[in-house]
Amino acid sequence: MKRKEIIFAVILMLSAYAQADDQQSSKEQLITPTLWVQAPDMFACNLTNVNQKTQTVQVRIITNGKVLLESKKLSLKPKHTTNHAVEGLPKGAPMYCEFTVEGSKEMYRGAAKLFPTPANKDFTAGNYSAASDTVAIAAQ
């Protein structure tokens, strides 16, 4: 009898572990429509966590199947936004944002933005506030 109980307990633990692993690895994607971007204009991807807890996200800027920028996996706090930008290509190209998010994509708001190159090009800190948005489109 003990042996059956042990086997049952092991199966139950493995099942619970598999379910927990599936919930942790639940990821979805938000993708914006493309915008045509030509240098010197800039292209930015902004993602906001509208959930009540910190979530793991990743941002990619893509053109014609080529990844121009890929963020590391980021912990995005509730009600905070992550910003990533690249300069347009010399001859221009269609660009879009791909957001990989933890949990339901309903917990996020993502946008692609096209704007003129600002005087201050400190993009690493997300500091391009001198620019005014020309076009912004939502991710779905």
Side-chain angles (χ1 to χ4, degrees), residues 26-40:
S26 172
K27 294 189 182 345
E28 291 195 34
Q29 286 187 328
L30 290 151
I31 299 175
T32 67
T34 59
L35 288 173
W36 185 266
V37 188
Q38 186 170 355

Side-chain angles (χ1 to χ4, degrees), residues 42-112:
M42 300 298 297
F43 181 79
C45 296
N46 307 125
L47 182 66
T48 303
N49 178 0
V50 296
N51 190 28
Q52 298 299 321
K53 68 179 207 173
T54 299
Q55 302 286 355
T56 301
V57 302
Q58 188 170 24
V59 179
R60 287 187 179 137
I61 298 177
I62 302 171
T63 182
N64 295 323
K66 180 181 175 187
V67 177
L68 298 177
L69 180 144
E70 183 172 13
S71 75
K72 60 184 178 186
K73 291 182 180 179
L74 307 164
S75 291
L76 190 57
K77 294 180 182 177
K79 312 304 181 208
H80 282 74
T81 301
T82 183
N83 304 295
H84 301 276
V86 297
E87 191 168 357
L89 299 175
K91 293 183 180 181
M95 293 185 188
Y96 67 94
C97 304
E98 177 185 275
F99 306 106
T100 303
V101 297
E102 179 181 59
S104 170
K105 60 185 176 183
E106 303 299 321
M107 300 184 303
Y108 304 89
R109 299 297 178 268

Side-chain angles (χ1 to χ4, degrees), residues 2-33:
K2 279 258 195 209
R3 186 175 186 175
K4 287 181 183 179
E5 291 172 1
I6 291 172
I7 291 172
F8 179 72
V10 168
I11 291 171
L12 190 59
M13 287 187 325
L14 288 174
S15 175
Y17 178 76
Q19 283 181 337
D21 192 42
D22 284 346
Q23 289 174 354
Q24 287 177 346
S25 64
S26 172
K27 294 189 182 345
E28 291 195 34
Q29 286 187 328
L30 290 151
I31 299 175
T32 67

Side-chain angles (χ1 to χ4, degrees), residues 119-132:
N120 176 5
K121 285 189 175 185
D122 182 13
F123 301 116
T124 56
N127 183 10
Y128 38 82
S129 58
S132 72

